[in-house]
């Protein structure tokens, strides 16, 4: 049987899609190749969120065609995911050696199309159509004994987004919001727990909009909170997380869920994007800075010690120095545990790309540096605050950089390294934090077993 190598660009959703495709192919008898050079099939699962991510995948494919392919003439090459969806057959027109272009609603068709290509029945396949119920096809897991995947797993609960933020290409590449049913998700989560998973992260482009159109509110609880309640009831599951939410989704029912559901970890990644109301409006975000601050305040009251992280865009069209100062001021006020900062990257066919007053690259760079300095300074102070504290971690496995060390995560989603061994893997345990590194905490193994 053939072997496959999948390289993934972009977000956690893409990682999850790649895992599901790999698991579907393994179930059909494929093996997973250790490198692209050793594979019969190489698939690039692509990202379109920034131009740089698209260019990386295109350059990678050019390299595969130009060099690797000389050594393996029968190798099948394919693009999957967001860029495949948005560019379609144009990708084969520019690089005719590419065999397969598979859109975001077609991941589950990979095995059948690869069979046809490997058997020489078709020369090229491009499928980027819309497919009803495709959201329920991202469900197979590898859990191949690798430490990380067997303790903690990601579950795709919905696909698509209807928010249409003016800078974002996702609604065009992922389509309309489509949610899986609660019974279907419960079955998948129960199976994972039966296979040793102790922490589940619910995934989607806008998870807080889960089930909005199909599942009515019940006793003041949105569909998403009903799903959290249902998953919380699974015996043997210790931790629940989710990403990415939208600030609009933090109603009182979700805020209260943090206090009510002990398995729901006290960490929240709430994308802010800008601290200026004027820009939030131009971005079509649907909230104000006052509303954002209100959510943070309520969450901290509901769950003291909650870790709050965010995403921020600098250099959005029309962003003035005053707008940017408002973002800096909001960061000082909230004191985020961490923030992912993105320099605005125009995406074709999005409203923001055609807006006047595009901010020069040099100013985007400069604001990026200034914000990064502030965010890092706050984050370092917060990390230092952990020294001497006892925290619970879920041990994921050996550290990638140093196999003598084991790695785990706190409930507020910080990475902790400690001198551990295989017996700690998959355990929930307490450690005392001794020191900090760059976005890492170092725990004292002396408390293991206390
Ligand atoms: S909510 Fe998120 S995924 Fe949806 S359009 Fe806005 S940024 Fe994109």
């Amino acid at each position: 049987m053939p072997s496959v190598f999948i390289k993934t660009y972009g977000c956690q959703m893409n990682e999850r899609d790649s895992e599901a495709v790999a698991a579907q192919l393994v179930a059909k008898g494929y093996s997973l190749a250790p490198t692209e050079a050793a594979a019969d099939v190489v698939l690039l699962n692509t990202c379109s969120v920034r131009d740089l991510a698209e260019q990386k995948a295109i350059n990678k494919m050019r390299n595969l065609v130009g060099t690797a392919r000389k050594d393996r003439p029968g190798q099948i090459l394919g693009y999957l995911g967001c860029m495949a969806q948005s560019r379609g057959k144009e990708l084969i027109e520019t690089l005719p050696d590419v065999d397969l272009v598979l859109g975001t609603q077609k991941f589950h068709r990979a095995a059948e199309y690869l069979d046809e290509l490997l058997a020489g029945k078709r020369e090229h396949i491009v499928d980027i159509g819309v497919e009803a119920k495709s959201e329920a096809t991202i469900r197979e897991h590898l859990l191949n004994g690798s430490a990380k995947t067997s303790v903690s797993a990601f579950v795709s609960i919905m696909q698509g987004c209807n928010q249409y933020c003016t800078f974002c290409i996702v609604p065009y590449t992922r389509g309309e919001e489509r949610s899986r049913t609660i019974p279907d998700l419960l079955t998948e989560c129960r199976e994972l727990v039966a296979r040793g998973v102790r922490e589940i992260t619910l995934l989607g482009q806008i998870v807080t909009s889960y089930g909005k159109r199909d599942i009515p509110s019940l006793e003041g609880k949105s569909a998403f909170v009903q799903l959290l309640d249902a998953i919380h009831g699974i015996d043997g599951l210790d931790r629940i997380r989710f990403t990415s939410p939208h600030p609009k989704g933090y109603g009182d029912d979700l805020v209260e869920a943090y206090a009510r559901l002990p398995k729901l970890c006290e960490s929240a990644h709430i994308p802010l994007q800008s601290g200026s109301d004027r820009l939030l409006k131009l971005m079509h975000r649907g909230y104000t800075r006052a509303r954002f601050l209100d959510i943070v305040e309520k969450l901290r009251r509901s769950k003291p010690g909650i870790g709050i992280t965010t995403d921020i865009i600098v250099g959005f069209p029309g962003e003035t120095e005053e707008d940017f100062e408002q973002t800096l001021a909001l960061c000082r006020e909230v004191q985020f545990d961490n923030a992912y900062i993105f320099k605005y990257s125009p995406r074709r066919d999005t409203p923001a790309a055609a807006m006047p007053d595009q901010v020069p690259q040099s100013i985007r760079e400069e604001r990026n540096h200034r914000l990064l300095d502030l965010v890092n300074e706050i984050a370092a102070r917060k990390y230092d605050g952990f020294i001497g504290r006892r925290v619970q971690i879920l041990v994921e496995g050996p550290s990638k950089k140093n196999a003598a060390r084991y790695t785990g995560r706190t409930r507020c989603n910080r990475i902790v390294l400690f001198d551990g061994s295989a017996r700690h893997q998959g355990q929930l345990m307490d450690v005392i934090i001794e020191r900090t590194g760059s976005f890492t905490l170092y725990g004292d193994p002396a408390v293991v077993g206390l």
Side-chain angles (χ1 to χ4, degrees):
M1 284 302 284
S3 60
V4 62
F5 183 89
I6 306 179
K7 183 168 173 58
T8 309
Y9 297 85
C11 65
Q12 194 57 58
M13 271 70 84
N14 279 14
E15 295 282 351
R16 176 70 196 102
D17 295 338
S18 292
E19 185 201 12
V21 170
Q24 285 160 12
L25 293 174
V26 166
K28 297 261 178 200
Y30 281 70
S31 60
L32 299 178
T35 63
E36 57 216 30
D40 300 306
V41 174
V42 180
L43 302 173
L44 304 185
N45 191 6
T46 56
C47 169
S48 284
V49 165
R50 276 177 292 284
D51 186 53
L52 188 67
E54 290 204 348
Q55 292 314 319
K56 271 191 193 166
I58 290 170
N59 291 339
K60 180 73 192 174
M61 190 59 93
R62 284 212 179 97
N63 279 341
L64 288 169
V65 167
T67 54
R69 204 145 199 206
K70 265 191 262 149
D71 306 325
R72 291 184 76 95
Q75 194 177 47
I76 300 291
L77 299 174
Y79 284 113
L80 313 177
C82 287
M83 185 177 71
Q85 184 71 40
S86 65
R87 297 195 180 215
K89 68 176 182 348
E90 166 203 326
L91 290 167
I92 289 187
E93 283 160 6
T94 35
L95 263 184
D97 279 309
V98 172
D99 306 286
L100 177 65
V101 175
L102 209 54
T104 52
Q105 301 194 31
K106 300 291 177 176
F107 291 112
H108 57 294
R109 303 247 175 241
E112 122 197 18
Y113 289 151
L114 288 173
D115 280 354
E116 292 181 41
L117 290 165
L118 284 160
K121 288 186 191 157
R122 291 170 75 178
E123 216 175 308
H124 296 298
I125 298 177
V126 178
D127 189 354
I128 56 168
V130 169
E131 187 167 329
K133 303 282 173 217
S134 59
E135 66 278 6
T137 61
I138 305 295
R139 52 170 310 130
E140 282 83 2
H141 293 259
L142 278 175
L143 299 185
N144 55 355
S146 112
K148 244 188 140 160
T149 46
S150 55
V151 175
S152 178
F154 293 86
V155 170
S156 174
I157 63 167
M158 51 104 61
Q159 293 275 327
C161 180
N162 294 355
Q163 178 64 29
Y164 289 92
C165 299
T166 53
F167 53 82
C168 185
I169 200 169
V170 165
Y172 310 96
T173 61
R174 291 282 178 166
E176 294 279 293
E177 288 166 14
R178 287 116 46 218
S179 299
R180 296 172 62 187
T181 65
I182 292 179
D184 184 30
L185 288 163
L186 269 178
T187 304
E188 181 176 338
C189 293
R190 284 202 188 102
E191 283 166 11
L192 287 167
V193 171
R195 290 164 73 182
V197 165
R198 303 188 68 178
E199 175 183 89
I200 285 176
T201 304
L202 306 177
L203 280 182
Q205 276 78 34
I206 178 162
V207 281
T208 40
S209 290
Y210 168 81
K212 238 173 159 178
R213 285 193 272 183
D214 319 311
I215 305 173
S217 296
L218 190 68
E219 293 163 5
K221 290 178 191 164
S222 64
F224 182 60
V225 172
Q226 292 173 49
L227 176 66
L228 289 176
D229 278 354
I231 291 175
H232 193 270
I234 298 176
D235 285 339
L237 180 66
D238 294 312
R239 291 177 166 191
I240 304 170
R241 303 183 188 278
F242 56 84
T243 195
S244 284
H246 188 285
K248 279 193 344 185
Y250 279 87
D252 288 346
D253 59 333
L254 181 54
V255 171
E256 282 158 13
Y258 278 94
R260 196 166 50 78
L261 303 176
K263 294 179 185 176
L264 182 58
C265 288
E266 47 270 37
S267 78
H269 181 78
I270 320 175
L272 165 69
Q273 308 306 6
S274 172
S276 152
D277 282 344
R278 198 180 69 81
L279 284 201
L280 288 172
K281 201 161 183 195
L282 283 176
M283 290 175 167
H284 192 236
R285 291 292 292 170
Y287 52 89
T288 59
R289 64 177 283 135
R291 172 67 187 134
F292 190 91
L293 288 168
D294 181 51
I295 293 166
V296 170
E297 203 252 312
K298 282 183 170 162
L299 279 172
R300 286 184 169 151
R301 224 182 314 131
S302 172
K303 199 78 183 178
I306 190 169
I308 298 183
T309 55
T310 196
D311 296 327
I312 299 171
I313 295 172
V314 293
F316 184 82
E319 184 186 64
T320 61
E321 179 60 25
E322 198 190 334
D323 293 316
F324 178 64
E325 290 285 348
Q326 288 180 29
T327 300
L328 290 173
L330 194 143
C331 287
R332 282 191 205 100
E333 187 166 349
V334 171
Q335 299 276 304
F336 290 110
D337 294 82
N338 197 7
Y340 301 92
I341 303 165
F342 303 94
K343 287 170 274 181
Y344 171 71
S345 167
R347 308 309 298 123
R348 63 185 174 282
D349 301 331
T350 57
M355 283 181 185
D357 305 323
Q358 298 282 323
V359 175
Q361 188 63 25
S362 58
I363 296 182
R364 287 183 222 169
E365 299 280 352
E366 185 250 352
R367 289 179 184 164
N368 180 51
H369 282 302
R370 280 164 65 199
L371 186 54
L372 205 55
D373 284 349
L374 173 66
V375 161
N376 286 344
E377 181 202 313
I378 295 169
R381 217 179 313 121
K382 291 215 155 198
Y383 269 79
D384 285 348
F386 273 84
I387 296 174
R389 275 178 55 192
R390 182 177 177 137
V391 292
Q392 184 206 62
I393 59 169
L394 175 61
V395 183
E396 292 174 353
S399 147
K400 275 192 196 135
K401 288 191 192 144
N402 177 354
R405 285 223 168 100
Y406 270 63
T407 175
R409 269 175 205 272
T410 65
R411 286 178 57 92
C412 60
N413 213 14
R414 291 169 196 264
I415 296 169
V416 177
L417 290 174
F418 68 102
D419 293 333
S421 64
R423 82 189 160 89
H424 298 126
Q425 195 165 311
Q427 301 298 313
L428 277 178
M429 61 183 224
D430 286 359
V431 292
I432 303 260
I433 301 303
E434 282 191 312
R435 62 190 173 92
T436 66
S438 169
F439 292 101
T440 307
L441 301 170
Y442 291 86
D444 181 356
V447 297
V448 169
L450 280 183

